[in-house]
Amino acid sequence: EVISVKPVDAEKKRTLSPYVTGNSVLAIKYKGGVLMACDMLGAYGSTKRYKNVQRVFKVNETTIVGASGEISDFQYISNLLEELTTQDFCYDDGCTLTPKEIHAYLCRVLYNRRNKMDPLWNSLVVAGVDPLRGESFIGSVGMLGTSYTDSHVATSFGNYLSRPLFREFQRDDMSLEEAVSLMQEALRVLFYRDKTSINKYILAKVEKEEGVAISK
Amino acid sequence: MSGIGTGYDLSVSTFSPDGRVFQSEYAQKAVDSSGTVLGMCCKDGVLLAAEKLEISKLLEENSNRRTFPIDKHAGAVVAGVSADGRAIVDRAQGEASNYKSMYGDAIPGSVLADRVASYVHVFNLYWYVRPFGVCTMLASYDHNGPQLFMIDPAGTSHKYYGVAVGKGRQGAKNELSKLKLADMTVKEAMFAAAKIMHQVHDGEKGFELELAIVSDETGRLFKRVGKAELQEVEAAAKAAIEAEDLDMSD
């Protein structure tokens, strides 16, 4: 006998396909923290429609989240994260959410949505530095709820084009300059080979003392 | 005190013949006998201060919190029964979060004050509940500028430049009226608040001062003044009081 779970309002609410999408997000660890990069394109199919899309969201002073996939779902996720952060602020207990906790939270959100057959069509990258232990953290969560953590992570096309470069050249103790040039090399490859990409990108870094900095 | 409202003071749903609701007035008395609480609305922010009377020498510093964040841009301080105060703060946090989800923006000070006042008022209407024995001061800083509101136990809310409740309110109000709050910065107000608190505090038992601000300096975020800065401000205030005493005794 086949057991099927019919989700509530199945016909009205299920995400069938993404519309406005972002492509690769790259993240690597370096000596002082973590570095994340992505381009600023919101593609509508093959059309390069929105060229000023911020796909990196600063959650708090220790964590950033980058997304590829459906932009509207990412905006929803950013809202959830902002509510989380405000709640954290109001607890007023001297603790802030660490990157690991935010990663765990997003895993749960995405996995539960996938179980309802109504996924958030995103591949997310959570990166940051744990303020108490000083450890860098990079984690990835996909729309199916698959998650893992590593020293370097990429989504979408970056998986095929950038990760070989990272595997070869990334080291946990590389300097910021080396990390930035590695990132730029990876972005260059993506721009050459990925058809829906543009040459406008942002770099975001998180360091233990200085917190989050996102370039323009 | 007994005999004032005999018969008409048993429930908040009863008026007395001269039109008073005694339970609400008694709630106000609970506030009047608590530690002094001040609020000051300055030109670049709002300051909230609470005099935390030393309940026991075994109490750890910074426990018995009296100031609370409501949202990133707003905070509250409570005078009176602290447990009641926490219930109100919880509700205010909920209202702020609700407003944000519905309207996509930070709750304006006046709306927040309205909602808290309505909530407090409800407890003055029905016989099966009692009024909150709390005066809540709400501070917020948004595009309408810095704002300070106070909600009393009856559920009335007013907007203030400067307000004081609790044991030392008479002296504090006096001092506050001498200050030109609209021209002061929050930094100057911190010093003034510490001075007033030390002046109106009476009794041999010590007290801990808790200061919280929302100002341009904190990026319009609610922030409790840290220990180092607090000590600095208090030391300066005490020095100023001593200097004045010396002047007066000349």
Side-chain angles (χ1 to χ4, degrees):
Chain A
E1 216 192 42
V2 174
I3 303 172
S4 67
V5 179
K6 191 165 196 319
V8 177
D9 283 354
E11 306 323 316
K12 287 186 218 163
K13 277 215 220 144
R14 188 162 12 135
T15 309
L16 293 169
S17 54
Y19 291 103
V20 180
T21 57
N23 69 0
S24 321
V25 177
L26 313 170
I28 53 176
K29 287 190 193 175
Y30 67 96
K31 190 161 185 210
V34 295
L35 190 64
M36 188 188 284
C38 58
D39 68 12
M40 300 192 77
L41 178 66
Y44 189 62
S46 342
T47 317
K48 298 183 186 182
R49 187 126 184 235
Y50 303 103
K51 296 196 183 173
N52 210 7
V53 176
Q54 249 286 22
R55 293 193 290 119
V56 174
F57 178 73
K58 173 183 162 178
V59 184
N60 57 27
E61 293 306 319
T62 63
T63 320
I64 48 179
V65 174
S68 63
E70 175 61 59
I71 300 291
S72 64
D73 281 347
F74 177 55
Q75 288 174 343
Y76 169 70
I77 289 171
S78 304
N79 256 347
L80 284 182
L81 289 171
E82 199 179 319
E83 272 175 29
L84 247 196
T85 316
T86 307
Q87 199 179 57
D88 203 26
F89 181 82
C90 287
Y91 282 143
D92 200 20
D93 53 3
C95 305
T96 41
L97 286 166
T98 67
K100 203 163 159 202
E101 290 166 346
I102 291 167
H103 179 243
Y105 172 77
L106 288 173
C107 288
R108 262 21 289 114
V109 171
L110 260 57
Y111 183 63
N112 274 289
R113 285 292 295 257
R114 128 183 161 170
N115 282 343
K116 291 195 274 193
M117 291 300 286
D118 180 18
L120 289 164
W121 209 284
N122 291 112
S123 286
L124 302 170
V125 177
V126 181
V129 181
D130 185 328
L132 289 176
R133 299 193 195 102
E135 290 163 3
S136 308
F137 176 91
I138 297 185
S140 172
V141 197
M143 64 184 259
L144 296 175
T146 331
S147 73
Y148 59 92
T149 65
D150 205 346
S151 296
H152 56 258
V153 139
T155 62
S156 175
F157 254 93
N159 257 316
Y160 312 113
L161 298 173
S162 307
R163 286 188 70 204
L165 282 170
F166 292 159
R167 260 181 238 129
E168 189 68 35
F169 296 112
Q170 192 268 351
R171 295 176 334 270
D172 279 352
D173 60 352
M174 52 196 307
S175 71
L176 178 60
E177 292 76 35
E178 290 175 321
V180 171
S181 74
L182 175 60
M183 203 56 112
Q184 284 173 337
E185 190 58 39
L187 287 163
R188 196 198 320 274
V189 171
L190 281 174
F191 180 58
Y192 283 157
R193 295 294 175 181
D194 183 357
K195 87 168 184 191
T196 42
S197 62
I198 55 172
N199 55 358
K200 196 170 162 204
Y201 64 92
I202 56 158
L203 279 177
K205 71 175 170 91
V206 187
E207 284 179 353
K208 183 167 188 220
E209 295 305 313
E210 288 107 63
V212 179
I214 301 185
S215 74
K216 293 220 163 96
Chain B
M1 210 160 93
S2 56
I4 296 179
T6 329
Y8 301 108
D9 63 346
L10 295 173
S11 113
V12 80
S13 65
T14 317
F15 272 107
S16 76
D18 50 349
R20 296 155 73 179
V21 181
F22 280 107
Q23 279 295 310
S24 301
E25 295 188 13
Y26 295 164
Q28 182 65 39
K29 290 209 207 291
V31 176
D32 291 342
S33 58
S34 89
T36 316
V37 167
L38 284 181
M40 296 172 164
C41 184
C42 314
K43 71 176 176 199
D44 68 338
V46 194
L47 167 89
L48 300 171
E51 170 197 26
K52 298 197 292 193
L53 298 163
E54 195 187 275
I55 313 173
S56 142
K57 286 225 181 320
L58 297 169
L59 205 61
E60 255 194 45
E61 223 179 312
N62 280 326
S63 65
N64 188 23
R65 190 139 278 176
R66 301 282 287 282
T67 57
F68 306 91
I70 300 294
D71 198 340
K72 288 196 174 146
H73 68 297
V77 71
V78 291
V81 184
S82 5
D84 287 5
R86 245 174 289 271
I88 294 186
V89 166
D90 247 8
R91 175 78 186 202
Q93 286 172 347
E95 295 283 1
S97 166
N98 203 323
Y99 187 94
K100 187 88 170 277
S101 334
M102 217 187 298
Y103 302 103
D105 203 7
I107 189 168
S110 49
V111 175
L112 180 62
D114 231 18
R115 299 220 180 160
V116 174
S118 304
Y119 182 65
V120 172
H121 176 236
V122 162
F123 291 77
N124 286 266
L125 289 171
Y126 305 112
W127 58 269
Y128 51 83
V129 291
R130 65 159 175 80
F132 286 107
V134 184
C135 253
T136 321
M137 276 184 218
L138 294 170
S140 74
Y141 197 173
D142 51 30
H143 53 266
N144 292 317
Q147 295 175 305
L148 175 66
F149 293 89
M150 190 179 78
I151 296 114
D152 68 10
T156 355
S157 100
H158 293 284
K159 197 169 169 194
Y160 288 94
Y161 275 121
V163 64
V165 291
K167 276 203 268 207
R169 66 187 176 288
Q170 290 292 50
K173 277 195 216 168
N174 243 327
E175 293 297 321
L176 280 175
S177 57
K178 295 182 197 160
L179 300 169
K180 285 197 156 241
L181 285 166
D183 297 329
M184 287 169 78
T185 64
V186 167
K187 258 214 154 0
E188 295 163 355
M190 277 204 275
F191 166 71
K195 191 156 162 249
I196 295 176
M197 285 297 208
H198 279 275
Q199 278 175 322
V200 304
H201 171 73
D202 92 312
E204 306 101 44
K205 283 200 176 175
F207 76 99
E208 202 187 323
L209 180 63
E210 192 170 308
L211 280 181
I213 57 178
V214 199
S215 70
D216 284 337
E217 219 190 307
T218 66
R220 300 198 182 182
L221 289 175
F222 175 84
K223 193 182 107 126
R224 194 166 305 101
V225 175
K227 194 166 171 191
E229 204 180 346
L230 195 57
Q231 282 179 333
E232 227 180 270
V233 169
E234 277 195 279
K238 282 189 198 162
I241 297 175
E242 275 176 26
E244 269 177 24
D245 283 343
L246 282 173
D247 281 342
M248 295 219 282
S249 60
D250 274 345

